[in-house]
Amino acid sequence: MAGTTGERPATARVIAEPAAMRAEILTARAAGRRIGFVPTMGALHAGHVSLVDRAAAECDDVAVSIFVNPTQFGPHEDYADYPRTLEADAETLRDRHVRWIFAPEAESIYPPDWATRIMIDGPARRFEGEIRPGHFSGVATVVCRLFLAVPADVAYFGAKDWQQTLVVKRMVRDLGLPIEVAVCPTVREPDGLAMSSRNAYLSPADRSRATALAESLALAEQMWIAGDGPTALERAMRDHLGSRGVTVDYAAVVDSESLEPLAGAATAVALVAGRLGSTRLIDNRQLPPRRGTG
Ligand code: AMP
Protein backbone atom coordinates (compact mmCIF):
# COMPACT_ATOMS: atom_id res chain seq x y z
CA MET A 1 0.00 0.00 0.00
CA ALA A 2 1.41 3.40 -0.93
CA GLY A 3 2.52 5.30 2.14
CA THR A 4 3.02 2.20 4.32
CA THR A 5 5.93 3.14 6.55
CA GLY A 6 6.31 -0.03 8.60
CA GLU A 7 8.52 -1.82 6.08
CA ARG A 8 10.63 1.16 5.21
CA PRO A 9 14.07 1.56 6.74
CA ALA A 10 15.26 4.76 8.50
CA THR A 11 18.57 4.68 6.64
CA ALA A 12 18.96 4.16 2.93
CA ARG A 13 21.31 1.61 1.42
CA VAL A 14 23.90 3.22 -0.82
CA ILE A 15 24.29 1.34 -4.10
CA ALA A 16 26.90 2.24 -6.72
CA GLU A 17 26.46 -0.44 -9.39
CA PRO A 18 23.71 0.14 -11.98
CA ALA A 19 23.03 -3.59 -12.40
CA ALA A 20 22.69 -4.14 -8.65
CA MET A 21 20.41 -1.12 -8.40
CA ARG A 22 18.22 -2.35 -11.22
CA ALA A 23 17.92 -5.82 -9.65
CA GLU A 24 16.75 -4.27 -6.35
CA ILE A 25 14.07 -2.22 -8.05
CA LEU A 26 12.82 -5.09 -10.20
CA THR A 27 12.60 -7.37 -7.16
CA ALA A 28 10.60 -4.78 -5.20
CA ARG A 29 8.27 -4.20 -8.14
CA ALA A 30 7.76 -7.93 -8.61
CA ALA A 31 6.60 -8.01 -4.98
CA GLY A 32 3.95 -5.46 -5.95
CA ARG A 33 5.62 -2.37 -4.51
CA ARG A 34 5.21 0.99 -6.22
CA ILE A 35 8.59 2.68 -6.61
CA GLY A 36 9.28 6.42 -6.71
CA PHE A 37 12.54 7.81 -8.05
CA VAL A 38 14.10 11.22 -7.39
CA PRO A 39 17.13 11.96 -9.59
CA THR A 40 19.50 14.61 -8.14
CA MET A 41 23.05 15.87 -8.33
CA GLY A 42 23.29 15.92 -4.51
CA ALA A 43 24.08 18.87 -2.22
CA LEU A 44 20.54 18.25 -1.08
CA HIS A 45 18.34 21.09 0.19
CA ALA A 46 14.67 21.50 1.07
CA GLY A 47 13.71 21.60 -2.63
CA HIS A 48 15.09 18.11 -3.16
CA VAL A 49 13.54 16.95 0.11
CA SER A 50 10.11 18.09 -1.05
CA LEU A 51 10.43 15.74 -4.04
CA VAL A 52 11.48 12.89 -1.75
CA ASP A 53 8.57 13.54 0.62
CA ARG A 54 6.10 13.54 -2.25
CA ALA A 55 7.57 10.29 -3.57
CA ALA A 56 7.36 8.73 -0.08
CA ALA A 57 3.74 9.82 0.24
CA GLU A 58 2.76 8.32 -3.12
CA CYS A 59 4.95 5.21 -3.31
CA ASP A 60 5.93 2.21 -1.20
CA ASP A 61 9.66 2.66 -1.73
CA VAL A 62 11.82 5.59 -2.81
CA ALA A 63 15.16 5.64 -4.61
CA VAL A 64 17.21 8.86 -4.76
CA SER A 65 20.11 9.10 -7.17
CA ILE A 66 23.05 11.34 -6.44
CA PHE A 67 25.22 11.81 -9.49
CA VAL A 68 26.96 14.94 -10.72
CA ASN A 69 26.51 14.35 -14.41
CA PRO A 70 29.56 15.51 -16.40
CA THR A 71 27.79 15.57 -19.77
CA GLN A 72 25.32 18.30 -18.82
CA PHE A 73 28.08 20.78 -17.92
CA GLY A 74 29.75 22.93 -20.57
CA PRO A 75 33.55 23.11 -20.75
CA HIS A 76 33.67 26.40 -18.80
CA GLU A 77 30.98 25.51 -16.27
CA ASP A 78 31.26 24.41 -12.64
CA TYR A 79 31.47 20.59 -12.98
CA ALA A 80 34.75 20.32 -11.05
CA ASP A 81 33.58 22.71 -8.33
CA TYR A 82 30.02 21.40 -8.00
CA PRO A 83 29.49 20.46 -4.32
CA ARG A 84 29.81 16.72 -3.56
CA THR A 85 28.46 15.98 -0.09
CA LEU A 86 27.33 12.33 -0.09
CA GLU A 87 27.60 11.81 3.68
CA ALA A 88 25.63 14.93 4.53
CA ASP A 89 23.09 14.02 1.82
CA ALA A 90 22.60 10.55 3.33
CA GLU A 91 22.01 12.24 6.68
CA THR A 92 19.46 14.63 5.12
CA LEU A 93 17.59 11.61 3.76
CA ARG A 94 17.54 9.74 7.09
CA ASP A 95 13.99 8.99 8.33
CA ARG A 96 12.49 10.17 5.03
CA HIS A 97 11.58 6.64 3.93
CA VAL A 98 14.27 6.41 1.29
CA ARG A 99 15.20 2.78 0.70
CA TRP A 100 18.07 3.26 -1.74
CA ILE A 101 20.58 5.96 -2.60
CA PHE A 102 21.98 5.26 -6.04
CA ALA A 103 25.40 6.91 -6.15
CA PRO A 104 27.25 5.57 -9.19
CA GLU A 105 30.78 6.39 -10.29
CA ALA A 106 30.99 8.28 -13.57
CA GLU A 107 32.68 5.26 -15.22
CA SER A 108 29.71 3.00 -14.59
CA ILE A 109 27.34 5.50 -16.19
CA TYR A 110 29.75 6.42 -18.99
CA PRO A 111 32.12 3.56 -19.85
CA PRO A 112 35.53 4.81 -21.05
CA ASP A 113 34.63 4.38 -24.72
CA TRP A 114 30.99 5.51 -24.50
CA ALA A 115 29.64 6.78 -27.81
CA THR A 116 25.89 7.16 -27.39
CA ARG A 117 23.95 10.36 -26.73
CA ILE A 118 20.31 11.29 -26.85
CA MET A 119 19.66 14.36 -28.99
CA ILE A 120 16.56 16.35 -28.26
CA ASP A 121 14.94 19.26 -30.05
CA GLY A 122 11.47 20.77 -29.41
CA PRO A 123 11.34 22.12 -25.84
CA ALA A 124 15.15 21.83 -25.57
CA ARG A 125 15.78 24.26 -28.41
CA ARG A 126 15.55 27.69 -26.77
CA PHE A 127 16.65 29.34 -23.49
CA GLU A 128 18.91 26.94 -21.54
CA GLY A 129 19.39 24.94 -24.75
CA GLU A 130 20.67 28.01 -26.58
CA ILE A 131 22.86 29.34 -23.79
CA ARG A 132 24.23 25.96 -22.71
CA PRO A 133 24.83 24.00 -25.95
CA GLY A 134 24.72 20.25 -25.31
CA HIS A 135 23.21 20.70 -21.84
CA PHE A 136 19.87 19.06 -22.55
CA SER A 137 21.47 16.31 -24.58
CA GLY A 138 23.52 15.55 -21.45
CA VAL A 139 20.42 15.73 -19.26
CA ALA A 140 18.38 13.46 -21.56
CA THR A 141 21.23 10.97 -21.87
CA VAL A 142 21.80 10.67 -18.13
CA VAL A 143 18.10 10.60 -17.25
CA CYS A 144 17.53 7.79 -19.73
CA ARG A 145 20.54 5.92 -18.30
CA LEU A 146 19.27 6.50 -14.75
CA PHE A 147 15.77 5.31 -15.68
CA LEU A 148 17.35 2.05 -16.87
CA ALA A 149 19.27 1.63 -13.61
CA VAL A 150 16.24 2.66 -11.54
CA PRO A 151 13.22 1.29 -13.43
CA ALA A 152 10.70 2.96 -11.11
CA ASP A 153 6.97 3.52 -11.57
CA VAL A 154 7.24 7.29 -11.26
CA ALA A 155 10.05 9.86 -11.34
CA TYR A 156 9.80 13.21 -9.55
CA PHE A 157 11.22 16.46 -10.96
CA GLY A 158 11.09 20.06 -9.74
CA ALA A 159 9.23 22.85 -11.53
CA LYS A 160 12.25 25.00 -10.57
CA ASP A 161 13.86 23.61 -13.75
CA TRP A 162 10.74 24.04 -15.86
CA GLN A 163 12.39 23.57 -19.22
CA GLN A 164 14.07 20.39 -17.94
CA THR A 165 10.68 18.93 -16.97
CA LEU A 166 9.43 19.51 -20.53
CA VAL A 167 12.54 17.93 -22.01
CA VAL A 168 12.24 14.84 -19.79
CA LYS A 169 8.52 14.46 -20.49
CA ARG A 170 9.14 14.76 -24.23
CA MET A 171 11.90 12.15 -24.16
CA VAL A 172 9.71 9.77 -22.14
CA ARG A 173 6.89 10.20 -24.64
CA ASP A 174 9.05 10.02 -27.77
CA LEU A 175 10.97 6.91 -26.67
CA GLY A 176 7.97 5.29 -24.99
CA LEU A 177 9.86 4.92 -21.72
CA PRO A 178 7.69 3.03 -19.20
CA ILE A 179 7.75 5.61 -16.39
CA GLU A 180 5.45 8.39 -15.19
CA VAL A 181 6.89 11.87 -14.72
CA ALA A 182 5.60 13.97 -11.81
CA VAL A 183 6.41 17.67 -11.50
CA CYS A 184 6.59 19.23 -8.01
CA PRO A 185 6.35 22.92 -7.03
CA THR A 186 9.43 25.10 -6.52
CA VAL A 187 10.54 25.43 -2.89
CA ARG A 188 11.75 28.93 -1.99
CA GLU A 189 13.71 30.68 0.73
CA PRO A 190 11.58 32.98 2.93
CA ASP A 191 12.58 35.98 0.75
CA GLY A 192 11.44 34.24 -2.43
CA LEU A 193 14.77 33.01 -3.83
CA ALA A 194 14.26 29.57 -5.38
CA MET A 195 16.37 27.03 -3.49
CA SER A 196 19.34 25.80 -5.49
CA SER A 197 22.60 24.04 -4.74
CA ARG A 198 24.29 26.96 -6.50
CA ASN A 199 22.95 29.57 -4.03
CA ALA A 200 25.81 28.56 -1.72
CA TYR A 201 28.25 30.14 -4.19
CA LEU A 202 26.72 33.62 -3.82
CA SER A 203 28.61 36.32 -1.92
CA PRO A 204 26.50 38.02 0.77
CA ALA A 205 25.95 41.03 -1.53
CA ASP A 206 24.95 38.83 -4.47
CA ARG A 207 22.73 36.73 -2.20
CA SER A 208 20.68 39.81 -1.37
CA ARG A 209 20.51 40.81 -5.07
CA ALA A 210 19.41 37.29 -6.02
CA THR A 211 15.85 37.99 -4.89
CA ALA A 212 15.58 40.06 -8.08
CA LEU A 213 14.73 36.90 -10.05
CA ALA A 214 11.63 36.04 -8.00
CA GLU A 215 10.73 39.74 -7.80
CA SER A 216 10.84 40.11 -11.57
CA LEU A 217 8.53 37.09 -11.92
CA ALA A 218 6.08 38.50 -9.36
CA LEU A 219 6.12 41.79 -11.27
CA ALA A 220 5.43 39.93 -14.51
CA GLU A 221 2.47 38.21 -12.90
CA GLN A 222 1.00 41.50 -11.66
CA MET A 223 1.34 43.03 -15.13
CA TRP A 224 -0.15 39.92 -16.73
CA ILE A 225 -3.17 40.10 -14.45
CA ALA A 226 -3.48 43.81 -15.27
CA GLY A 227 -3.68 42.90 -18.97
CA ASP A 228 -0.17 43.66 -20.28
CA GLY A 229 1.28 41.53 -23.07
CA PRO A 230 4.47 39.42 -23.25
CA THR A 231 6.67 42.18 -24.67
CA ALA A 232 5.85 44.60 -21.85
CA LEU A 233 6.41 41.87 -19.25
CA GLU A 234 9.75 40.91 -20.76
CA ARG A 235 10.94 44.51 -20.76
CA ALA A 236 9.85 45.03 -17.15
CA MET A 237 11.59 41.82 -15.98
CA ARG A 238 14.79 42.77 -17.79
CA ASP A 239 14.71 46.30 -16.34
CA HIS A 240 14.14 45.03 -12.83
CA LEU A 241 16.90 42.43 -13.05
CA GLY A 242 19.30 44.99 -14.54
CA SER A 243 18.50 47.53 -11.83
CA ARG A 244 19.51 44.97 -9.18
CA GLY A 245 22.81 44.15 -10.87
CA VAL A 246 21.79 40.84 -12.47
CA THR A 247 23.34 40.21 -15.91
CA VAL A 248 20.34 38.89 -17.82
CA ASP A 249 20.67 35.79 -20.02
CA TYR A 250 16.97 35.83 -20.87
CA ALA A 251 13.65 37.10 -19.54
CA ALA A 252 10.76 35.69 -21.54
CA VAL A 253 7.04 34.98 -21.50
CA VAL A 254 6.16 32.00 -23.68
CA ASP A 255 3.78 29.07 -24.11
CA SER A 256 4.38 27.00 -20.96
CA GLU A 257 4.30 23.65 -22.79
CA SER A 258 6.12 24.36 -26.07
CA LEU A 259 8.24 27.34 -24.91
CA GLU A 260 7.40 28.91 -28.28
CA PRO A 261 5.89 32.41 -28.62
CA LEU A 262 2.40 32.68 -27.16
CA ALA A 263 -0.54 32.17 -29.48
CA GLY A 264 -4.25 31.81 -28.84
CA ALA A 265 -5.30 30.66 -25.39
CA ALA A 266 -2.10 28.82 -24.45
CA THR A 267 -1.02 29.00 -20.81
CA ALA A 268 1.99 31.21 -20.25
CA VAL A 269 5.17 30.83 -18.24
CA ALA A 270 7.64 33.56 -17.38
CA LEU A 271 11.27 32.37 -17.47
CA VAL A 272 14.33 34.22 -16.22
CA ALA A 273 18.03 33.42 -16.12
CA GLY A 274 20.89 35.63 -15.11
CA ARG A 275 24.27 35.87 -13.54
CA LEU A 276 25.50 37.40 -10.31
CA GLY A 277 29.27 37.33 -10.26
CA SER A 278 30.19 33.87 -11.52
CA THR A 279 26.96 32.26 -10.29
CA ARG A 280 24.19 31.59 -12.75
CA LEU A 281 20.60 31.37 -11.48
CA ILE A 282 17.32 30.47 -13.16
CA ASP A 283 13.70 30.74 -12.07
CA ASN A 284 10.22 30.67 -13.58
CA ARG A 285 6.59 31.25 -12.77
CA GLN A 286 3.41 29.95 -14.34
CA LEU A 287 1.09 32.85 -15.19
CA PRO A 288 -2.62 32.57 -14.45
CA PRO A 289 -4.84 31.69 -17.40
CA ARG A 290 -6.61 34.47 -19.23
CA ARG A 291 -8.40 34.82 -22.53
CA GLY A 292 -6.06 35.40 -25.48
CA THR A 293 -2.48 36.55 -24.98
CA GLY A 294 -3.06 40.28 -24.55
P1 AMP B 1 19.57 19.02 -9.16
O1 AMP B 1 20.22 18.34 -7.99
O2 AMP B 1 19.82 20.49 -9.21
O3 AMP B 1 19.83 18.30 -10.46
O4 AMP B 1 18.01 18.89 -8.91
C1 AMP B 1 17.41 17.64 -8.74
C2 AMP B 1 15.91 17.80 -8.79
O5 AMP B 1 15.49 18.66 -7.74
C3 AMP B 1 15.45 18.43 -10.11
O6 AMP B 1 14.24 17.79 -10.53
C4 AMP B 1 15.21 19.86 -9.71
O7 AMP B 1 14.24 20.51 -10.51
C5 AMP B 1 14.69 19.69 -8.29
N1 AMP B 1 14.85 20.94 -7.54
C6 AMP B 1 15.97 21.69 -7.43
N2 AMP B 1 15.73 22.81 -6.74
C7 AMP B 1 14.40 22.77 -6.39
C8 AMP B 1 13.52 23.64 -5.68
N3 AMP B 1 13.95 24.79 -5.16
N4 AMP B 1 12.24 23.27 -5.54
C9 AMP B 1 11.78 22.10 -6.08
N5 AMP B 1 12.56 21.25 -6.76
C10 AMP B 1 13.85 21.56 -6.92
Side-chain angles (χ1 to χ4, degrees):
M1 188 183 73
T4 303
T5 54
E7 299 167 51
R8 302 197 288 195
T11 321
R13 264 180 61 207
V14 180
I15 296 182
E17 275 311 310
M21 185 69 250
R22 183 175 167 85
E24 287 275 334
I25 303 287
L26 293 179
T27 303
R29 287 189 68 178
R33 296 179 76 80
R34 178 172 168 84
I35 310 296
F37 175 37
V38 181
T40 81
M41 297 206 299
L44 300 181
H45 52 65
H48 298 112
V49 169
S50 75
L51 271 52
V52 171
D53 288 349
R54 165 109 173 253
E58 295 181 356
C59 301
D60 299 299
D61 289 317
V62 179
V64 175
S65 65
I66 295 180
F67 179 63
V68 184
N69 173 38
T71 64
Q72 71 189 70
F73 289 80
H76 305 296
E77 293 182 4
D78 54 349
Y79 174 67
D81 298 333
Y82 199 86
R84 288 162 174 84
T85 57
L86 182 57
E87 263 178 47
D89 290 344
E91 198 48 43
T92 301
L93 296 175
R94 180 191 290 275
D95 291 323
R96 299 213 98 88
H97 311 304
V98 175
R99 191 170 205 105
W100 307 280
I101 295 174
F102 178 47
E105 298 295 332
E107 299 73 42
S108 63
I109 296 297
Y110 299 107
D113 54 351
W114 72 282
T116 307
R117 250 181 190 274
I118 291 180
M119 302 305 290
I120 179 151
D121 196 359
R125 208 170 50 79
R126 303 181 66 193
F127 307 114
E128 294 301 291
E130 231 164 64
I131 288 176
R132 306 179 68 188
H135 169 68
F136 282 127
S137 172
V139 167
T141 303
V142 81
V143 169
C144 186
R145 183 74 189 86
L146 291 171
F147 284 176
L148 285 163
V150 187
D153 294 273
V154 47
Y156 295 84
F157 290 85
K160 154 80 174 29
D161 299 286
W162 182 251
Q163 190 174 11
Q164 174 173 275
T165 67
L166 299 176
V167 166
V168 169
K169 284 197 274 189
R170 185 68 64 90
M171 173 184 72
V172 164
R173 191 204 71 184
D174 287 353
L175 299 181
L177 301 180
I179 194 161
E180 286 168 44
V181 174
V183 178
C184 307
T186 301
V187 176
R188 297 177 179 281
E189 300 287 357
D191 65 4
L193 176 65
M195 289 195 179
S196 163
S197 308
R198 291 190 168 101
N199 294 348
Y201 301 151
L202 293 165
S203 69
D206 286 343
R207 170 64 187 82
S208 69
R209 290 188 194 107
T211 54
L213 279 84
E215 288 159 7
S216 70
L217 295 169
L219 175 64
E221 183 178 84
Q222 279 170 18
M223 292 176 66
W224 183 250
I225 290 168
D228 285 310
T231 313
L233 271 61
E234 289 172 2
R235 193 178 314 118
M237 289 194 293
R238 229 169 234 289
D239 288 349
H240 183 72
L241 290 162
S243 76
R244 298 291 307 281
V246 178
T247 307
V248 181
D249 279 348
Y250 54 80
V253 176
V254 290
D255 182 319
S256 71
E257 292 305 313
S258 68
L259 302 189
E260 295 295 336
L262 277 168
T267 49
V269 65
L271 303 170
V272 290
R275 281 163 286 129
L276 279 164
S278 55
T279 306
R280 190 165 179 277
L281 300 174
I282 64 173
D283 200 354
N284 68 84
R285 186 164 179 141
Q286 302 295 319
L287 300 178
R290 70 179 194 194
R291 228 177 271 141
T293 60

